[in-house]
Amino acid sequence: MKSHNSDQHEKTVTAAETVFAVKVDDLTVAYNYKPVLWDIDLEIPEGVLMAIVGPNGAGKSTLIKSILGILKPIAGSVSIYGKPYKEQRSLVAYVPQKGSVDWDFPTTALDVVMMGTYGSLGWIKRPKQREKKLALEALEKVGMLSFKGRQISQLSGGQQQRIFLARALVQDASIYFMDEPFQGVDASTEIAIINILKALRKAGKTVVVVHHDLQTVPEYFDWVTFLNVKKIATGPVKDIFNDDNLTKTYGINYKVSIQE
Amino acid sequence: MNLQEYFSLVFSDYTLRTITLGTAILGAVTGMLGSFAVLRKQSLLGDAISHAALPGIAIAFLITGAKDSNTLLLGALVSGLIGTFWIRGIVSKTHLKSDTALGLILSVFFGFGMLLLTYIQKQPNANQAGLDKYLFGQAATLVESDVWLMAIVTGVSLCVMLLFWKEFKILLFDKDYAETLGFNTKTIDVLITVFIVLAIVLGLQTVGVVLMSAMLLAPAAAARQWTNSLSTMVVLASVFGAFSGVFGTAISASQNNLSTGPVIVIVAAVFVLISFIFSPSRGLLFRQIRFVKNRRDLELQKTLSFMFHIAETHDDISHPHEIRILNNFQGFTKGSLKTLEEKNYIRLEGSTWSLTDQGFETASNLYNQQHQNNE
């Protein structure tokens, strides 16, 4: 909390007065009969690096997937810069959980990153030199250029995560949604990833990250949303990342673990 | 007829040529589309579709009374599609997992199909004989128009695949992500599924309901072993499928007309077996060889680096040491010491060893590498 950057905060507050990068209204999602997200209202200002935290089953991934239209909500709406998500798709990039795909799929690192260009290409058109160049640049940004021809199953977990990140970077979006990008990666990859996220924020992008490690929230992020089926709180880390909200979200007292 | 006669006859004999061409095309198209089924982990879908097609054949016969293969296959197509979309419906609308849905549709449709077949056989209709050939297939009944139909469907599915290659690939690898890029994944999904159903239905006459799924899976599974590229895999699967068709037909024709469908499937299985064992990167044989070799290299390296640690403490790196002092370390054998001597890393004299300059250098590099890797 102490490491928070106050300039950053001022900037985001001004942005909040104009138009929100992401605005979620009354979002309710259920699997079968069980509600997973209940009546979520959420406003994400432009240019923040935001963590979504909450216990397992709190609906963190579901929230991202519903915003991105992968899951169909029972009720509610999502707008990106004031317009429906469907019209603003090209402004949004997604980094799914690493475990959501089969890494034994017969393809190379470069090929996966190239998939990031498919959206702007549209139907049928094939990626050409321009797309390849973009993909190579993205691979370089995540420090994976020398692995471009590598079969993806022969990459380590951290390298696979970087490939996913590079694929999203290729999209050159304004808003990035990432589902647990730090899961199962080693310390050096974690640092590499957070540096990229901070660079994105510096470039004025909005980054939303499902995050598990509460210890690193104040260090990595400037904005946070507490989620447990309902939205508990959302705002600047330095204002709302406190024991009260942690206890409300996780249901147990967090004093010891955070204050150390 | 022996195999030699077969291959000399295949270009001149009408029936033989038709059957061979038919099974080759069939193998190619099922291999191609089977790659997609295998990569989507929908291997059992083919089995369910082929079994689900059976009642369609019976009903088409009951309605038209004709045994024209195109009519019957149209019936098979309809019931195969119904079965497939029921499976999808069950998976998306209920708690049931896809294996349950597949098994359910497979057996219910097949049971219903068999029921209709036995009913038809009781009918006083001379035409009814031979419907059961769809169970295990009968390549000998292929005529030129069947082969043309296969060729057309293969051509169309090839065009569609080339056109939507990028969409197919991203759907197979990461469906959710494809959705966020704005692709209608349902459309792509339906497109792939419809072509898989088409390919299977085309094969029913030749290979039959029961064995058809092997045509879809075997060439693709074999191809996956040899390559890490999707396009190469699809091409290889088509080639394996086509060869299975040709060899299967050749063997069946030359060996007293063994039933063609099963022979084709066996040939395809041989491709799979060979691929599982002999593939350079994924095969069992080379993996075992690499494993043994790596372990031997590591043993040598461990011994060498242990010697390095001892030698390091002396001013003269080639100071001789007793072999005995290696005893508390388990990585060395007489053999490994000998190999080290052959590589000129150490000198052995009686009961002592000493590092050579070359050995010292190799060992220190080894140590540096290990050190770097740990960082």
Side-chain angles (χ1 to χ4, degrees), chain A residues 33-169:
Chain A
Y33 304 106
K34 195 171 157 261
V36 186
L37 288 176
W38 191 254
D39 207 15
I40 305 284
D41 287 309
L42 182 63
E43 283 148 356
I44 307 173
E46 184 180 29
V48 296
L49 180 46
M50 183 178 99
I52 301 177
V53 297
N56 293 332
K60 302 183 294 291
S61 298
T62 308
L63 176 60
I64 287 191
K65 286 184 179 174
S66 313
I67 292 174
L68 293 168
I70 298 166
L71 293 173
K72 304 282 170 268
I74 292 176
S77 65
V78 174
S79 67
I80 305 290
Y81 286 109
K83 287 187 191 155
Y85 164 73
K86 273 191 179 152
E87 296 169 23
Q88 304 279 59
R89 241 188 248 279
S90 60
L91 298 179
V92 178
Y94 174 47
V95 179
Q97 271 186 33
K98 186 162 60 67
S100 65
V101 303
D102 172 18
W103 288 94
D104 198 36
F105 192 81
T107 192
T108 60
L110 176 64
D111 216 26
V112 172
V113 178
M114 294 258 269
M115 289 178 186
T117 67
Y118 287 9
S120 59
L121 281 169
W123 288 85
I124 297 174
K125 252 186 272 167
R126 299 287 187 96
K128 300 249 164 56
Q129 282 307 314
R130 194 186 82 89
E131 283 74 24
K132 192 176 171 187
K133 201 173 139 261
L134 289 173
L136 289 172
E137 283 167 15
L139 273 170
E140 187 157 28
K141 275 186 207 155
V142 299
M144 290 287 294
L145 194 56
S146 51
F147 294 91
K148 61 178 179 185
R150 189 74 74 89
Q151 153 68 17
I152 54 171
S153 64
Q154 283 155 19
L155 298 170
S156 72
Q159 290 169 334
Q160 291 172 347
Q161 191 67 61
R162 289 183 199 214
I163 292 299
F164 259 14
L165 193 58
R167 185 176 69 171
L169 292 179

Side-chain angles (χ1 to χ4, degrees), chain B residues 7 21 34 50 52 106 108-109 160 168 191 238 246 248 270 282 285 298 305:
Chain B
F7 281 110
L21 212 56
S50 63
L106 183 153
V108 169
F109 272 65
V160 168
F168 280 10
L191 208 58
S238 307
V246 173
V270 171
R282 298 167 74 98
L285 183 68
L298 267 180
S305 79

Side-chain angles (χ1 to χ4, degrees), chain A residues 32 65 68-70 72 85 89 94 96 100-108 111-112 115-116 118-119 121-127 151-152 154 164 167-168 171, chain B residues 39 41 93-95 161-170 172-177 179-185 187-188 224 227-231 233 281-282:
Chain A
N32 302 311
K65 286 184 179 174
L68 293 168
I70 298 166
K72 304 282 170 268
Y85 164 73
R89 241 188 248 279
Y94 174 47
S100 65
V101 303
D102 172 18
W103 288 94
D104 198 36
F105 192 81
T107 192
T108 60
D111 216 26
V112 172
M115 289 178 186
Y118 287 9
L121 281 169
W123 288 85
I124 297 174
K125 252 186 272 167
R126 299 287 187 96
Q151 153 68 17
I152 54 171
Q154 283 155 19
F164 259 14
R167 185 176 69 171
Q171 290 178 252
Chain B
L39 289 175
K41 313 233 182 310
K93 300 276 187 307
T94 71
H95 291 275
M161 187 189 69
L162 289 175
L163 213 54
F164 295 102
W165 179 258
K166 164 174 121 261
E167 286 77 12
F168 280 10
K169 178 154 73 177
I170 196 166
L172 293 176
F173 179 63
D174 196 343
K175 187 167 172 244
D176 284 356
Y177 183 71
E179 186 88 42
T180 68
L181 292 180
F183 291 104
N184 187 339
T185 52
T187 309
I188 312 171
R224 180 67 189 94
T227 176
N228 280 326
S229 142
L230 180 61
S231 45
M233 177 180 166
S281 62
R282 298 167 74 98

Side-chain angles (χ1 to χ4, degrees), chain B residues 313-326:
Chain B
T313 59
H314 293 267
D315 290 338
D316 173 21
I317 52 146
S318 295
H319 181 84
H321 299 273
E322 289 286 314
I323 290 179
R324 258 189 309 121
I325 64 168
L326 296 174

Side-chain angles (χ1 to χ4, degrees), chain B residues 63-98:
Chain B
I63 293 172
T64 64
K67 257 192 341 193
D68 161 47
S69 69
N70 288 349
T71 316
L72 297 184
L73 289 185
L74 193 66
L77 180 65
V78 172
S79 78
L81 284 172
I82 292 174
T84 311
F85 287 95
W86 275 10
I87 292 167
R88 291 165 54 101
I90 291 174
V91 173
S92 65
K93 300 276 187 307
T94 71
H95 291 275
L96 294 172
K97 295 276 175 290
S98 71

